[in-house]
């Protein structure tokens, strides 16, 4: 990884190569550094270093050797367009995450958050503005920006400066900059003359041309020059080693390199270490940061609760060393059968995967899916790449595929005439579980693996499940992992009826589903944080809540059935490795704490920053271990012997604290959801393991600092502390139960405008379904809701991909919707389209109330008092009605 800064011709005399280092437990410190002389004459180089423990993965960018630190990092930024319209967006694969307004997308340092105006189908934008508040006046000497997506939508940029945030002056030489449209990556902007500013304004435009959309740079860097503190070493933990190299060495000849090595003979304990290196050559100083990761001793977990989705047998040893006990992979039907009655399981299509991971002590879980060409319908073949996602023309042949797979790798021997492979091998004893398809729920429209109906899938599933049991009665059958764990979906396993009266749930041995949070912290993620567009969704529950309800559903309907998160991904296609390392163990802990039995992370390896690349814990290019490998391995070791569910302990809103109990042992896990927090609990004398496996003792009382990386608190010396923690958990769980009881007692009226295939639900103590209101549903007293007058039309916009927002009712001005409600005080929320449309609420006490979303919002709300008469909503302009919730105010509870 070349770390030289600047372009050819800039006065930076040396480039530096410095890599992250992974080591086994007990290894000594050895970090090589290569310094290359890129100038035209011999030059002396001095290397200073500091090695510290680093439990929270320091990753702040190094200062520019010529322009200093980026003074804009982390400051406030926002964007505007068309006067009052706020255009703040958190982009997820081009999908607007409407609930995350207020983000500092120009200055947060993340390439996966950015601003972009609302997209119009026709040209309506002439300009858009981005603002940066530096917090104090700065002498600006240089600018740069990161172009991540659609640079051609950025246009030209005019830079203006202000000291008061009101009066802006164009900066000479920084008008009509068009370099941002040329491509991806960092764009450097030379400042002709330094200027003073506290506020920076960026005006995006295409001269005066109208365009449908503007996209801002993902990050803007503003440099204020070099001062005496620019190249100071950061202080993150206890010092392991420090020193100077090369001070007395001969100068490096032009075009030559010199190698230095940071060494220390003492064995390193497991954990993460920050290596800071300051290189001085000529008049230029450069500062670099890299890490050394030291793995813990290998472990053989007592319970097979942790696993990985795999794709390459070469990673088996790395996953074994981490402590994984399950390997899930896609066994694609077309890869093993390209003609009727012909099966071949050679290479990575089957044998190599089973053999490698079985040899590593891991159970192999094949996911059987895809339809071979000879069983594709004529319609499916027209879909080209998606053809294999359609159901086979003969579903019974899927049973043949399942039988042949389980017969080969299961425990039971079969006669040669029952086998369709050339080698006639069976009973290899390499398979104990089989999963039938992947994400077959039709709600998963973002990136589906199944193009049939849910009924089609259940027909195929039963055929496959019965075939698996014929091949090996001991094999466990998993449903195709759902894309989420919403109980509304799980219920179909129980309520779908086969002709003989049985249900799919009768054939499920292990319940399988997925938990992806991608660019959202795992504790905040909802079912639709990756699968769907987010505009207009009233988020009432997280995936964590869905998991807890799924566990309760399992306990009620099939208590012996384990629940597995068979694919858990807690990063995104370009979330940085730091967040991946923090979020992965937190997602595992959150799921297990909810009562899930097993978690398999997604996935073993990946390259680059695209979806599957970012989720890997081993780098594909060189099989090096990503930081997430170490935090994953630590979670496995610290959870050894502990089963869920865990109980929440009281903590600040930005912190999560769980109490795990197993017999006389307890474990406390804690972290900040974002940024930092404090753990105020009395933990007495105990031991703490950080996310990378580093150990420390707590010898005195006081708040414990929490970061986004989990800590594991154990070995409590004082029995009174243990008793106190258990009592705190009891009180907190009781408070949550009381709040749920209050929610259940609330009166609520939920209306979904339009006719979705499945009624959406909302969590108010329990899941409550929306009442779907069609265009023909006119008001009558007995029904208690409906439109006043005919002539309305139903509409569907597939773009939104969510049952709550996909359908709507076209509502011309003066459209009226009326409903009855019991007298009382309510919180009323309304989603309309377009979002800025205003709706008047009549029939409430006092004056009529106007509902109009705040700028940048996607639904509006108000507190109203309803009396004896019906309530009427009247539209004031043309638009559409999407959904309405009217929920009794909980004045006795903790608030909403």
């Amino acid at each position: 990884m070349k770390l030289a800064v600047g372009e050819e011709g800039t006065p930076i005399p040396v480039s530096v190569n410095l890599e992250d280092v992974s080591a086994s437990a007990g290894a000594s410190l050895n970090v090589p550094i290569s310094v290359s002389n890129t100038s035209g004459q011999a030059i002396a180089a001095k290397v200073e270093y500091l090695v510290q423990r680093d439990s929270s993965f320091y990753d702040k960018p190094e200062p520019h050797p010529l322009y200093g630190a980026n003074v804009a990092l982390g400051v406030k930024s926002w964007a505007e367009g068309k006067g009052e319209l706020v255009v703040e967006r958190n982009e997820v694969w081009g999908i607007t995450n409407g609930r995350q307004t207020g983000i500092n997308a120009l200055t947060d340092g993340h390439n996966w958050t950015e601003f972009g105006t609302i997209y119009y189908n026709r040209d309506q934008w002439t300009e858009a503005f981005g603002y940066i508040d530096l917090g104090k006046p700065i002498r600006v000497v240089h600018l740069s920006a990161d172009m991540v997506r659609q640079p051609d939508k950025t246009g030209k940029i005019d830079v203006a400066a202000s000291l008061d945030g009101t009066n802006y002056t164009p900066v000479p030489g920084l008008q009509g900059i068009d370099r941002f449209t040329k491509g991806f990556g960092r764009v450097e902007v030379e400042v002709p003359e330094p200027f003073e500013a506290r506020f920076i304004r960026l005006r995006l435009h295409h001269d005066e041309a109208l365009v449908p959309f503007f996209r801002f740079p993902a990050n803007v860097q503003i440099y204020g020059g070099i001062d005496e503190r620019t190249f100071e070493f950061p202080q993150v933990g206890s010092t392991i080693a420090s020193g100077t190299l090369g001070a007395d060495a001969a100068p490096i000849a032009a075009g030559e390199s010199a190698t230095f090595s940071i060494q220390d003979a003492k064995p390193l304990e497991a954990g993460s270490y920050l290596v800071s290196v300051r290189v001085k050559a000529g008049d230029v100083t450069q500062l670099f940061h890299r890490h050394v990761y030291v793995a813990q001793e290998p472990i053989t977990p007592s319970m097979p609760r942790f696993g990985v989705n795999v794709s390459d047998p070469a990673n088996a040893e790395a996953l074994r060393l981490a402590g994984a006990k399950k390997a899930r992979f896609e066994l694609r039907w077309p890869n093993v059968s390209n003609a009727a009655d012909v099966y071949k399981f050679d290479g990575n299509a089957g044998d190599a995967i089973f053999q490698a991971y079985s040899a590593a002590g891991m159970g192999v879980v094949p996911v059987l899916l895809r339809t071979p060409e000879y069983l594709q319908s004529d319609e499916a073949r027209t879909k080209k790449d998606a053809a294999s996602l359609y159901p086979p023309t003969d579903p019974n042949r899927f049973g043949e595929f399942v039988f042949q797979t389980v017969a080969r790798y299961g425990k039971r021997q079969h006669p040669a005439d029952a086998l369709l492979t050339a080698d006639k091998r069976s009973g290899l004893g390499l398979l104990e579980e089989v999963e039938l398809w992947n994400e077959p729920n039709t709600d998963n429209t973002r990136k589906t693996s199944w193009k049939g109906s849910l009924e089609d899938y259940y027909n195929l599933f039963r055929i496959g499940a019965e075939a698996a049991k014929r091949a090996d009665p001991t094999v466990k059958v998993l449903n195709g992992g759902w894309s989420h764990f919403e109980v509304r979906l799980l219920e179909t396993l129980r309520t779908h009826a086969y002709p003989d009266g049985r249900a799919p749930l009768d054939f499920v041995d292990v319940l399988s589903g997925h938990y992806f949070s991608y660019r959202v912290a795992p504790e905040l993620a909802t079912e639709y944080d990756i699968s769907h567009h987010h505009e207009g969704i009233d988020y009432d529950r997280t995936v964590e809540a869905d998991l807890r309800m799924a566990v309760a559903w399992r306990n009620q309907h099939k208590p012996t059935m384990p629940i597995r998160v068979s694919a858990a991904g807690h990063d995104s296609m370009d979330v940085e490795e730091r967040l991946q390392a923090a979020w992965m163990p937190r997602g595992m802990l959150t799921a297990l704490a909810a009562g899930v039995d097993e978690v398999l992370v997604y996935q073993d390896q990946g390259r680059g920053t695209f979806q599957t690349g970012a989720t890997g814990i081993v780098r594909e290019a060189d099989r090096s271990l990503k930081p997430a490998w170490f935090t994953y391995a630590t979670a496995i070791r610290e959870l050894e012997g502990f089963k869920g569910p865990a109980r929440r302990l009281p903590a600040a809103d930005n912190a999560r604290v769980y109490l795990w109990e197993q017999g006389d042992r307890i474990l406390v896990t804690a972290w900040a959801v974002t940024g930092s927090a404090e753990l105020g609990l009395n933990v007495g004398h105990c031991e703490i393991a950080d996310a990378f496996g580093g150990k420390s003792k707590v010898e005195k009382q006081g708040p414990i600092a929490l970061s986004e990386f989990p800590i594991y608190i154990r070995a409590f010396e004082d029995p009174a502390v243990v008793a106190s923690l258990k009592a705190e958990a009891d009180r907190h769980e009781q408070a949550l139960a009381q709040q749920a009881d209050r929610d259940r007692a609330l009166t609520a009226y939920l209306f979904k405008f339009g006719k979705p295939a499945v009624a959406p639900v909302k969590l108010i103590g329990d899941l409550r379904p929306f009442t779907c209101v069609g265009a023909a549903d006119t008001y009558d007293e007995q029904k208690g809701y409906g439109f006043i007058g005919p002539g309305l039309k139903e509409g569907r916009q597939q773009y939104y991909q969510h049952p709550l927002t996909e359908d709507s009712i076209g509502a011309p001005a003066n459209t009226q919707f009326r409903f009855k409600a019991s007298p009382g005080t309510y919180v009323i929320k309304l989603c309309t389209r377009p979002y800025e449309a205003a709706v008047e609420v009549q029939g409430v006490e006092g004056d009529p109330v106007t509902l109009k979303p705040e700028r940048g919002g996607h639904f509006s709300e108000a507190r109203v008092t309803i009396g004896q008469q019906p309530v009427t909503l009247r539209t004031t302009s043309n638009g559409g009605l999407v959904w309405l919730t009217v929920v009794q105010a909980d004045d006795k509870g903790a608030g909403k």
Side-chain angles (χ1 to χ4, degrees):
M1 182 183 300
K2 193 166 185 175
L3 302 178
V5 181
E7 301 174 355
E8 185 178 354
T10 58
I12 300 177
V14 297
S15 65
V16 178
N17 278 290
L18 175 66
E19 302 287 343
D20 286 349
V21 175
S22 298
S24 301
S28 57
L29 183 67
N30 186 4
V31 182
I33 306 168
S34 176
V35 180
S36 300
N37 183 354
T38 57
S39 71
Q41 59 187 16
I43 191 166
K46 184 171 73 170
V47 177
E48 300 170 294
Y49 65 88
L50 175 65
V51 183
Q52 308 167 75
R53 275 198 173 274
D54 182 13
S55 61
S56 297
F57 197 129
Y58 181 88
D59 73 336
K60 291 184 179 178
E62 297 96 344
H64 194 292
L66 302 180
Y67 308 121
N70 170 23
V71 297
L73 183 64
V75 304
K76 182 180 180 181
S77 60
W78 66 99
E80 294 181 0
K82 291 184 176 292
E84 292 299 311
L85 179 61
V86 172
V87 291
E88 294 170 313
R89 293 153 64 105
N90 180 355
E91 292 290 336
V92 181
W93 294 1
I95 300 170
T96 305
N97 190 337
R99 71 191 174 104
Q100 295 201 23
T101 57
I103 57 176
N104 296 316
L106 283 171
T107 53
D108 60 5
H110 301 311
N111 281 343
W112 41 280
T113 59
E114 59 191 18
F115 292 125
T117 63
I118 294 173
Y119 179 82
Y120 290 116
N121 291 328
R122 57 191 183 279
D123 296 339
Q124 291 199 12
W125 294 96
T126 58
E127 61 184 4
F129 296 89
Y131 296 87
I132 297 172
D133 180 359
L134 298 173
K136 62 180 181 181
I138 296 291
R139 182 174 180 268
V140 179
V141 301
H142 189 72
L143 302 172
S144 60
D146 297 330
M147 308 307 299
V148 177
R149 277 173 288 274
Q150 293 181 294
D152 59 308
K153 304 302 182 185
T154 301
K156 298 179 180 180
I157 294 183
D158 299 339
V159 180
S162 173
L163 292 174
D164 60 9
T166 300
N167 300 298
Y168 284 87
T169 302
V171 179
L174 299 182
Q175 305 303 300
I177 305 170
D178 63 359
R179 297 179 60 195
F180 301 99
T181 65
K182 305 303 182 183
F184 302 99
R186 180 155 296 184
V187 176
E188 303 288 343
V189 180
E190 300 298 332
V191 174
E193 291 290 337
F195 61 92
E196 292 286 327
R198 172 179 167 173
F199 298 88
I200 302 289
R201 185 184 71 190
L202 308 176
R203 175 179 176 256
L204 278 60
H205 63 95
H206 289 270
D207 294 320
E208 300 305 316
L210 284 165
V211 295
F213 180 69
F214 278 110
R215 187 183 290 279
F216 288 78
N219 285 297
V220 175
Q221 295 81 34
I222 300 174
Y223 299 95
I226 294 171
D227 61 31
E228 67 278 4
R229 300 186 60 187
T230 298
F231 301 104
E232 288 184 351
F233 288 139
Q235 302 298 311
V236 299
S238 58
T239 296
I240 302 302
S242 62
T244 302
L245 304 170
D248 301 322
I252 306 169
E256 298 295 324
S257 299
T259 299
F260 304 90
S261 184
I262 300 173
Q263 294 184 338
D264 191 283
K266 298 188 298 291
L268 290 171
E269 297 178 354
S272 171
Y273 301 85
L274 177 68
V275 180
S276 298
V277 173
R278 185 164 52 215
V279 179
K280 297 181 179 180
D283 295 329
V284 176
T285 299
Q286 300 181 66
L287 183 64
F288 304 103
H289 305 301
R290 291 297 177 266
H291 283 86
V292 171
Y293 304 101
V294 181
Q296 300 179 72
E297 295 291 342
I299 183 177
T300 302
S302 59
M303 299 177 289
R305 304 183 66 203
F306 303 96
V308 179
N309 285 257
V310 303
S311 59
D312 190 335
N315 295 317
E317 179 63 9
L319 302 185
R320 182 192 71 82
L321 291 173
K325 293 295 291 180
K326 292 280 178 71
R328 178 180 184 259
F329 82 104
E330 288 190 357
L331 182 58
R332 298 189 175 189
W333 193 0
N335 291 350
V336 298
S337 178
N338 59 11
D341 300 326
V342 175
Y343 280 81
K344 188 177 183 181
F345 291 92
D346 60 340
N348 284 357
D351 287 351
I353 291 276
F354 278 98
Q355 292 164 0
Y357 286 98
S358 296
M362 300 172 67
V364 183
V365 187
V367 182
L368 276 53
L369 75 168
R370 303 276 181 152
T371 298
E373 186 176 358
Y374 65 89
L375 288 170
Q376 293 170 7
S377 66
D378 292 340
E379 177 191 1
R381 291 193 182 99
T382 66
K383 306 302 180 180
K384 298 181 180 179
D385 291 344
S388 65
L389 305 180
Y390 286 78
T393 53
D394 181 359
N396 290 311
R397 301 300 289 270
F398 181 70
E400 175 189 277
F401 170 40
V402 176
F403 179 88
Q404 294 297 320
T405 302
V406 178
R408 183 177 185 84
Y409 298 112
K411 298 176 182 178
R412 173 176 286 190
Q413 294 280 344
H414 289 269
D417 60 4
L419 305 173
L420 299 178
T421 53
D423 60 12
K424 303 297 182 180
R425 300 182 72 191
S426 68
L428 299 179
L430 302 177
L431 178 150
E432 295 182 350
E433 301 174 326
V434 63
E435 187 168 340
L436 306 182
W437 220 274
N438 182 64
E439 296 191 351
N441 50 302
T442 53
D443 284 349
N444 180 34
T445 53
R446 174 62 184 87
K447 187 181 179 184
T448 187
S449 294
W450 174 253
K451 292 293 187 180
S453 67
L454 197 58
E455 183 176 0
D456 290 335
Y457 170 69
Y458 280 145
N459 180 40
L460 201 73
F461 171 73
R462 177 168 181 176
I463 291 170
E466 292 179 329
K469 296 295 186 179
R470 286 197 306 273
D472 183 352
T474 69
V475 74
K476 294 180 180 179
V477 174
L478 287 74
N479 62 286
W482 303 122
S483 66
H484 54 83
F485 275 96
E486 190 180 31
V487 168
R488 174 175 63 104
L489 174 61
L490 304 185
E491 265 289 277
T492 64
L493 284 167
R494 190 178 67 86
T495 58
H496 179 87
Y498 292 120
D500 62 358
R502 303 186 73 182
L505 188 60
D506 296 326
F507 300 92
V508 178
D509 297 312
V510 179
L511 180 64
S512 173
H514 300 164
Y515 174 16
F516 288 89
S517 73
Y518 289 90
R519 302 183 183 196
V520 182
E523 305 81 12
L524 306 179
T526 73
E527 166 195 343
Y528 295 101
D529 266 315
I530 188 61
S531 298
H532 300 270
H533 295 271
H534 297 131
E535 290 98 330
I537 298 176
D538 183 18
Y539 289 86
D540 60 295
R541 66 189 187 283
T542 61
V543 171
E544 180 183 20
D546 276 341
L547 289 171
R548 289 187 178 275
M549 287 187 283
V551 170
W553 178 87
R554 182 272 311 271
N555 293 345
Q556 177 181 0
H557 298 296
K558 197 169 183 177
T560 61
M561 177 180 61
I563 297 179
R564 176 181 300 166
V565 175
S566 54
H570 305 286
D571 56 344
S572 183
M573 63 180 179
D574 49 8
V575 164
E576 57 270 18
E577 289 189 354
R578 179 183 185 276
L579 277 182
Q580 182 195 19
W583 289 356
M584 183 169 287
R586 283 164 43 184
M588 294 166 55
L589 293 169
T590 299
L592 294 170
V596 167
D597 299 280
E598 304 170 9
V599 179
L600 279 61
V601 303
Y602 187 87
Q603 64 176 348
D604 59 342
Q605 68 181 25
R607 63 177 180 271
T609 57
F610 192 62
Q611 178 197 3
T612 55
T615 50
I617 60 175
V618 176
R619 298 184 183 93
E620 185 176 52
D622 58 3
R623 306 209 182 276
S624 59
L625 306 179
K626 294 172 69 175
W629 184 96
F630 294 90
T631 57
Y632 171 69
T634 297
I636 291 174
R637 285 155 178 77
E638 295 302 320
L639 266 290
E640 170 61 18
F642 288 96
K643 296 181 179 180
R647 295 188 289 165
R648 287 274 299 273
L649 285 166
D653 289 343
N654 192 42
R656 284 296 169 92
V657 186
Y658 289 106
L659 177 68
W660 308 75
E661 300 176 64
Q662 196 67 36
D664 296 332
R665 299 170 61 213
I666 70 166
L667 172 72
V668 173
T669 56
W671 60 85
V673 176
T674 58
S676 61
E678 282 190 346
L679 177 64
L681 295 173
N682 174 24
V683 295
H685 289 224
C686 58
E687 183 176 272
I688 294 180
D690 66 36
F692 294 91
K695 308 289 195 303
S696 61
K697 292 281 189 179
V698 174
E699 303 291 351
K700 61 180 181 180
Q701 293 307 301
I704 297 174
L706 300 178
S707 74
E708 293 172 304
F709 287 82
I711 61 172
Y712 306 85
I713 310 174
R714 49 186 168 81
F716 298 91
E717 295 183 6
D718 187 350
V721 168
V722 174
S724 175
L725 290 171
K726 292 181 177 181
E728 287 282 356
D730 289 339
R731 284 191 289 271
H732 189 65
E733 292 288 317
Q734 184 178 17
L736 293 176
Q738 290 172 346
Q739 180 63 56
D741 288 340
R742 284 195 297 271
D743 289 346
R744 291 186 187 96
L746 297 176
T747 302
Y749 305 91
L750 312 177
F751 298 104
K752 172 70 193 92
F753 298 108
K755 292 289 188 179
V758 180
V761 294
K762 182 174 177 62
L763 178 63
I764 309 174
D766 294 311
L767 290 177
R768 306 194 198 187
F770 279 73
T771 297
C772 295
V773 184
D777 287 324
T778 56
Y779 181 82
D780 66 57
E781 288 292 326
Q782 183 175 0
K783 186 170 58 176
Y785 66 86
F787 290 101
I788 305 298
L792 302 178
K793 294 182 178 181
E794 296 175 9
R796 164 164 291 191
Q797 290 183 263
Q798 188 71 19
Y799 166 85
Y800 292 98
Q801 300 180 4
H802 189 295
L804 189 59
T805 55
E806 198 170 61
D807 298 86
S808 63
I809 297 292
N814 294 315
T815 296
Q816 297 182 56
F817 174 76
R818 182 170 294 171
F819 65 92
K820 286 183 177 180
S822 299
T825 301
Y826 294 84
V827 175
I828 183 170
K829 296 183 181 181
L830 176 67
C831 178
T832 57
R833 198 171 289 140
Y835 301 122
E836 62 266 25
V839 174
E840 187 178 72
V841 182
Q842 304 170 345
V844 296
E845 293 188 3
D847 295 331
V849 173
T850 298
L851 293 175
K852 183 177 182 180
E854 296 182 1
R855 60 180 189 166
H858 297 295
F859 57 87
S860 53
E861 65 179 279
R863 183 183 174 98
V864 299
T865 299
I866 296 175
Q868 297 294 333
Q869 62 179 317
V871 176
T872 301
L873 274 62
R874 184 185 69 84
T875 61
T876 60
S877 59
N878 294 337
L881 297 174
V882 184
W883 55 259
L884 169 71
T885 64
V886 185
V887 181
Q888 183 182 0
D890 180 15
D891 293 327
K892 296 181 180 179
K896 296 294 183 217

